[in-house]
Structures are given as C-alpha cells and as structure tokens.
Amino acid sequence: MPDPAEVARLLALARGADQRLLLEPEARALLAAYGIPVPAYRVAETAQDSEQAARDFAAPVAMKLIAPGLVHKTEAGGVFLNVAPDASLAAHLRLVERAGPE
C-alpha cells in the first residue's frame, strides 16, 4: 500500500537538494513508499561495516559504489557481484580505491 506522506517527504528531500537523480538508497526508499518490494540491502560506509553486512546476510552479496553523479556504476568499475563474506573487506577497499578522492 503506498504511503503518500513518505513519497512526498522523499521527493521534497530530493528537490530541496536540487537532485536530478536519486541515489540507490533513495530510489529504494521511494519504491518501498509506493509499496513495491525491494530486496534487503545495507549501506556500508566503512570496510568493517561492509564485512559485517556480508556476514549478516550470510551469503554472497553485491557491492556497489554510491556517489552523487555516479549513474553508470558498472562502467565505472563500481560493482562487484557474488562477493563472499570473507572477501567483502578487500572488495570494499577496492571500491573505495576506484571511487578516487572525494
């Protein structure tokens, strides 16, 4: 069931930030606000967060860069698929390296 108040809140945040595109977490939140199921995910800001998230999922995970202006993650080398929990720390560090300086 759609949540009109949450949809309005999310869109207002994006408009307030003068965003033309939503980042993946924002897009997932918007889909969920419309009642569209989204797979479980977690945003990890540190390598340790990535490792813990992968262990919590207890299965291979997809890891993606999230950055304003990064629309085509795959072309930028910002996606790793089928990452085992014990490889997630190294994968996170490689993604950070590929992201370059902020």
Side-chain angles (χ1 to χ4, degrees):
M1 174 116 283
D3 180 346
E6 181 65 2
V7 169
R9 185 187 77 77
L10 291 166
L11 293 176
L13 285 173
R15 287 184 189 115
D18 199 28
Q19 288 179 242
R20 296 178 142 248
L21 299 171
L22 298 175
L23 297 177
E24 186 169 343
E26 298 162 340
R28 287 173 171 268
L30 187 61
L31 289 170
Y34 273 108
I36 299 169
V38 294
Y41 74 100
R42 194 173 304 164
V43 175
E45 294 187 14
T46 68
Q48 291 75 22
D49 291 345
S50 287
E51 185 175 41
Q52 186 61 54
R55 292 193 190 291
D56 289 347
F57 281 114
V61 297
M63 296 178 69
K64 303 175 187 181
L65 284 173
I66 299 172
L70 181 60
V71 178
H72 303 287
K73 295 176 185 74
T74 302
E75 289 84 352
V79 177
F80 293 138
L81 301 176
N82 205 30
V83 179
D86 62 347
S88 59
L89 185 82
H92 178 98
L93 295 174
R94 285 194 311 269
L95 285 173
V96 169
E97 184 178 288
R98 289 180 180 186
E102 291 185 15

